[in-house]
Amino acid sequence: MKDQAASGESPEVAAGQRLSTREAAERLGVKPETLYAYVSRGQLSSRRAPGGRGSTFDAAEIDALARRTNRRTTSPATGDPAFRTGITLIENDRYYFRGVDATELARHYSYEEVADWLWTGELRPGVRFAASAEARAAARRAVEALPAHSGSTDRLRVAVVAAATTDPLRFDLSRDSVLAAARGLVPTLVEALPVVPGGPQGAGAAGEPRAGTSTPGLARRIWPKLTARPADEPAVAALDTALVLLIDHDLAASTLAARVAASAHAHPYAVVSAGLGVLEGPLHGAASGLAHRMLTEVLDRGSAAPVVADHLRTGRRVPGLGHRLYAVEDPRARALFALLDRVPQAAAALAAARDVVATTARHAPLHANVDLALAVLSVSCGMSAEAGETVFAVSRTAGWVAHALEEYGERPLRIRPSGQYNGPRPPQPLPAAADGAPR
């Protein structure tokens, strides 16, 4: 545990809470007429509102009906489909895990403490995840067989598949079985990654516990897989905070893929594999690598102005800026920047990042996002450009598992959108061979 945290409760429906007709209809994603049809069929009860104007509905009853009917609502902000989830709320330029400010959680608790709490609702101070010897060995053998030029996400995907083969209980989707798999998978991913050459040698250098010592936290275990520099407390604290901040961010692309897999009752290893497959895109988990390279160039050239100009001249967007869900600075970036301010070796990269923001802000109201903050961490700690992607992938594994646990409780295969066909209308003739020869 980092510090003593302020208490927070998960968002539950208050006993006896009443909703107006509009609120109940929005929660179900239906029109008021449909709402009253549920009442007439006996599926809902209603009560006259005080003063006799309209009706009120029991919130718990509305939520139970939503679960039974698997109503898919629409986001009022974008019109996009929205699926009910109790994991992450993004609202008013802040974000919350189960109703608790996620940046506060990151300030007070470690990655493993927050991940375990997110899965179970129970905080266990000092909790550590452990990989089984069999899973660790299989994952390492699989990773070592890859070509030397393989990226970290390649290695993580292979490690997940290898770990899955060692778990005969992976098809058991009971809560306890999924939790056991998750607590073993996260450290397996970390321990399957190779140590950066040139780092400290000897027992414990790979981030694993020395004989007779307690297991270090995940941030300290992943540190030598990211950089050859010796670990120092301020930098490791910043890394641990980054891991917590990135655990979940509502239904991001990779999380939606993970939920689709879970909806098909894929086992948790397959759910994580689905998430990793999407995360590797340059517009998602790999975005911090672009920001890393940009900051390195800013440091080399001594100013952000020519670097930003080059990006714009070639039609590239400036990486690490802007987020569709926040009108101001990404709260994850703000929290991470605050910690990096305490890391002496981060001063130059922080100044470069602020120079980028100030230069771009002359003409566009863009703010730093978490990719820029991850880039400051990776540049200042001597990590590679793909280090941010590695941190993102390992961290988000806990979020994918949380969503899988939630989705396993829903109707199977409920996430089945319908395509809007715009091809030729039938009937069409059979296609002819390109050479015109009879078949």
Side-chain angles (χ1 to χ4, degrees):
M1 191 167 74
K2 295 179 183 177
D3 298 302
Q4 184 62 40
S7 63
E9 298 180 355
S10 60
E12 302 290 343
V13 174
Q17 180 184 352
R18 308 293 299 179
L19 302 175
S20 68
T21 299
R22 180 183 60 79
E23 290 170 334
E26 286 181 353
R27 189 170 289 201
L28 283 172
V30 301
K31 296 179 179 179
E33 293 84 354
T34 305
L35 189 69
Y36 286 111
Y38 286 135
V39 175
S40 67
R41 293 196 296 263
Q43 293 176 277
L44 281 177
S45 61
S46 65
R47 185 187 303 168
R48 296 299 294 174
R53 308 181 91 182
S55 301
T56 65
F57 298 83
D58 181 86
E61 200 174 71
I62 292 291
D63 286 351
L65 178 62
R67 288 192 294 270
R68 289 198 306 273
T69 59
N70 288 290
R71 290 300 310 181
R72 182 176 70 176
T73 63
T74 298
S75 166
T78 65
D80 296 331
F83 297 93
R84 296 169 60 81
T85 174
I87 298 172
T88 299
L89 170 68
I90 301 175
E91 186 176 74
N92 299 325
D93 293 319
R94 298 172 70 183
Y95 78 120
Y96 307 84
F97 293 159
R98 301 206 184 281
V100 182
D101 189 307
T103 60
E104 284 297 300
L105 283 166
R107 273 201 324 119
H108 292 94
Y109 296 121
S110 71
Y111 172 78
E112 287 152 296
E113 289 168 339
V114 174
D116 201 70
W117 168 79
L118 197 65
W119 297 335
T120 67
E122 178 184 353
L123 181 69
R124 297 194 295 158
V127 64
R128 294 288 183 265
F129 300 155
S132 73
E134 188 179 13
R136 186 168 60 237
R140 280 180 173 166
R141 286 195 301 269
V143 168
E144 288 168 359
L146 292 175
H149 64 263
S150 300
S152 65
T153 307
D154 296 323
R155 296 184 176 107
L156 292 174
R157 287 206 307 267
V158 167
V160 171
V161 174
T165 64
T166 69
D167 185 359
L169 303 180
R170 63 187 180 277
F171 298 105
D172 179 0
L173 301 186
S174 66
R175 186 174 184 80
D176 287 346
S177 181
V178 172
L179 288 173
R183 289 171 179 142
L185 177 58
V186 173
T188 296
L189 295 179
V190 171
E191 293 171 21
L193 294 172
V195 174
V196 175
Q201 301 298 312
E208 297 167 29
R210 299 178 177 84
T213 65
S214 61
T215 303
L218 199 81
R220 190 166 286 278
R221 279 187 273 174
I222 199 174
W223 178 272
K225 311 304 179 78
L226 302 174
T227 179
R229 293 185 184 177
D232 63 87
E233 287 307 318
V236 172
L239 175 59
D240 190 45
T241 295
L243 286 165
V244 176
L245 293 169
L246 292 167
I247 286 177
D248 191 55
H249 205 235
D250 195 29
L251 289 180
S254 59
T255 303
L256 180 58
R259 284 200 81 125
V260 171
S263 180
H265 280 191
H267 56 69
Y269 300 90
V271 167
V272 172
S273 291
L276 285 170
V278 177
L279 188 76
E280 196 172 17
L283 302 181
H284 195 14
S288 64
L290 301 176
H292 175 108
R293 295 181 179 91
M294 176 189 66
L295 287 187
T296 300
E297 187 178 358
V298 171
L299 290 170
D300 288 343
R301 299 177 71 172
S303 172
V307 178
V308 169
D310 284 349
H311 276 75
L312 299 178
R313 182 166 54 245
T314 55
R316 293 174 292 161
R317 60 184 295 273
V318 180
L321 300 179
H323 197 290
R324 60 177 293 189
L325 297 180
Y326 301 113
V328 297
E329 187 175 56
D330 185 334
R332 300 170 296 176
R334 187 165 54 247
L336 195 49
F337 283 147
L339 271 185
L340 289 168
D341 262 327
R342 307 175 196 170
V343 179
Q345 66 265 33
L350 264 175
R354 287 166 177 154
D355 192 10
V356 168
V357 173
T359 300
T360 310
R362 296 176 191 175
H363 301 292
L366 293 175
H367 304 275
N369 63 35
V370 73
D371 297 318
L372 188 62
L374 277 177
V376 172
L377 175 66
S378 58
V379 169
S380 61
C381 293
M383 300 175 183
S384 69
E386 68 173 1
E389 183 179 350
T390 306
V391 173
F392 202 132
V394 171
S395 169
R396 192 58 59 91
T397 296
W400 295 329
V401 170
H403 280 273
L405 286 165
E406 198 172 62
E407 191 61 39
Y408 289 148
E410 299 285 356
R411 176 173 59 83
L413 294 174
R414 72 186 180 111
I415 306 177
R416 176 59 171 88
S418 299
Q420 293 185 340
Y421 179 74
N422 63 357
R425 297 299 305 172
Q428 295 289 322
L430 286 171
D435 58 4
R439 291 290 185 269

